[in-house]
Amino acid sequence: MLQSRRFKKAGSGFAIAAVFTFASLASAGAQTKWDMPTPYGDSNFHTQNIAEFAQDVSAGTDGSLTIQVHSAGSLFKHPEIKNSVRKGLAPIGEVLISRLSNEDPVFGVDSVPFMADSYDAAWDLYQASKPALQEKLGEQGLQLLYAVPWPPQGIYAKQDIDSIDDLRGLKMRAYNASTERLVQLAGAVPTQVEVPDLPTAFSTGRVEAMITSPSTGANSKAWDFLTHYYDTQAWLPKNMVIVNKRAFDRLSDAEKAAILEAAGAAETRGWEASKAETAAKTKVLIDNGIKVSAPSDVLQGSLREIGAAMVGEWQESAGDDGAAIVEAYQN
Ligand code: PCA
């Protein structure tokens, strides 16, 4: 159990109280330390936002609750983070929501190509899908604290991609079920690779192209192994911070309030940071020699066709939950 009540609540053991002075007893409040696994590296804006969130929690609880962030899959690898929080091995953690779409299509709604391809649309879709998201997490004893999108997703390659045919046969990196499906529908070959493993996967030839954000491209120094970026703005997948409900319920009311307040601030800050990140990291790509361009009309047309097919597939698999989300989104 990584979560530790380091010290028992003051007064819970009278033998200890007997040897403490009154003054030291008053300062010896309950101390809780939470370990927090996250999938992405320290230079990433999501991780930096989480570091600020952790500071806010510590400040807001006068240090009675501290969160230690374990980034880049160092405590639990990305595919294990959700279950580690569910089981209480870690009380809190971050995951890409759509990593969980194999469990339930509701988790994949933000990664269906072109369903919501701007920040405004992504926000509306988040609001429309939040009740279902909270419900699905709740069934697993998990609670949503906040969610923040990645910048819009585009295509990285080592050559010109003028039409979808140029992707045919390429070994393309995938990061969730929907990128895998998109790659398949484009006639390319998907391989799942976590962000911290990207440089190795490219340098050893396991993959030769990918779809991700300017953020992840810049953080992984894409210019070391890729040359082209096409700004297709296909979707904005979100990360979420989740907490184990039992761990949350054990907190004091003041600690609960502090964590919820810090989460609200992190969500607002994160959406703003993501928008700023899009332009900033696209510039980093350009400055390092990546050829950044808009996709050709034919390429974008084919991607939109694939997107439309995937919207259909998603709606079919998501059934009534999906229909409710789409209806709320359209209103
Ligand atoms: N970066 C993450 C998810 C989406 C993104 O922009 C990744 O590439 O895995």
Side-chain angles (χ1 to χ4, degrees):
M1 193 84 165
L2 288 157
Q3 179 210 7
S4 58
R5 280 262 163 198
R6 279 233 210 97
F7 306 106
K8 291 208 158 87
K9 276 198 201 294
S12 66
F14 63 89
I16 297 173
V19 297
F20 271 52
T21 64
F22 193 74
S24 69
L25 242 193
S27 64
Q31 296 270 320
T32 306
K33 178 180 166 270
W34 278 4
D35 286 294
M36 177 170 186
T38 79
Y40 306 100
D42 289 333
S43 59
N44 185 257
F45 77 99
H46 287 287
T47 316
Q48 289 166 353
N49 193 33
I50 285 171
E52 241 180 291
F53 162 74
Q55 277 169 12
D56 285 354
V57 168
S58 178
T61 61
D62 288 327
S64 77
L65 174 61
T66 56
I67 295 176
Q68 177 162 5
V69 180
H70 301 268
S71 61
S74 57
L75 185 59
F76 292 105
K77 299 256 172 256
H78 196 178
E80 293 150 19
I81 291 178
K82 194 273 296 178
N83 278 337
S84 71
V85 179
R86 185 172 62 78
K87 291 179 192 153
L89 298 172
I92 187 169
E94 180 200 30
V95 290
L96 182 77
I97 303 177
S98 52
R99 267 314 281 239
L100 312 181
S101 66
N102 288 334
E103 291 181 15
D104 196 301
V106 160
F107 293 121
V109 68
D110 66 10
S111 297
V112 183
F114 302 106
M115 193 146 154
D117 53 6
S118 67
Y119 279 97
D120 286 347
W123 177 259
D124 290 346
L125 184 60
Y126 176 36
Q127 299 314 310
S129 59
K130 205 191 262 183
L133 180 59
Q134 283 166 328
E135 190 192 316
K136 301 288 172 189
L137 291 171
E139 287 166 6
Q140 301 197 31
L142 297 167
Q143 183 177 329
L144 174 71
L145 286 181
Y146 70 87
V148 169
W150 290 87
Q153 306 288 294
I155 298 177
Y156 290 82
K158 292 188 218 192
Q159 70 266 40
D160 289 326
I161 305 293
D162 296 324
S163 76
I164 201 88
D165 294 337
D166 294 326
L167 292 175
R168 195 166 298 281
L170 286 187
K171 288 183 272 180
M172 282 189 81
R173 180 256 174 168
Y175 62 75
N176 61 11
S178 114
T179 43
E180 211 169 300
R181 182 71 181 137
L182 171 59
V183 166
Q184 272 170 356
L185 290 173
V189 186
T191 301
Q192 191 91 15
V193 180
E194 291 302 328
V195 169
D197 304 328
L198 279 176
T200 309
F202 275 98
S203 64
T204 57
R206 264 184 79 209
V207 290
E208 45 197 358
M210 65 178 174
I211 304 179
T212 185
S213 56
S215 193
T216 293
N219 287 161
S220 347
K221 299 194 180 351
W223 47 89
D224 286 346
F225 37 82
L226 292 159
T227 51
H228 291 58
Y229 177 68
Y230 295 93
D231 184 16
T232 57
Q233 305 191 10
W235 67 92
L236 294 82
K238 293 187 298 296
N239 288 355
M240 65 179 168
V241 170
I242 49 174
V243 67
N244 177 294
K245 191 86 178 75
R246 274 171 292 126
F248 186 80
D249 288 344
R250 277 198 293 268
L251 299 174
S252 71
D253 287 348
E255 287 168 335
K256 285 179 193 162
I259 210 168
L260 293 178
E261 194 185 328
E267 182 162 284
T268 306
R269 194 170 58 230
W271 281 73
E272 287 312 311
S274 181
K275 290 174 197 169
E277 180 85 359
T278 307
K281 290 300 192 291
T282 303
K283 184 172 181 306
V284 171
L285 294 176
I286 294 169
D287 290 348
N288 284 280
I290 296 270
K291 191 176 166 219
V292 173
S293 34
S296 70
D297 289 348
V298 277
L299 174 60
Q300 196 72 347
S302 303
L303 290 172
R304 284 190 178 278
E305 270 172 36
I306 290 175
M310 288 179 64
V311 170
E313 289 176 358
W314 181 83
Q315 282 182 311
E316 193 154 311
S317 68
D320 291 345
D321 287 334
I325 292 174
V326 170
E327 200 193 318
Y329 177 51
Q330 283 166 350
N331 293 328

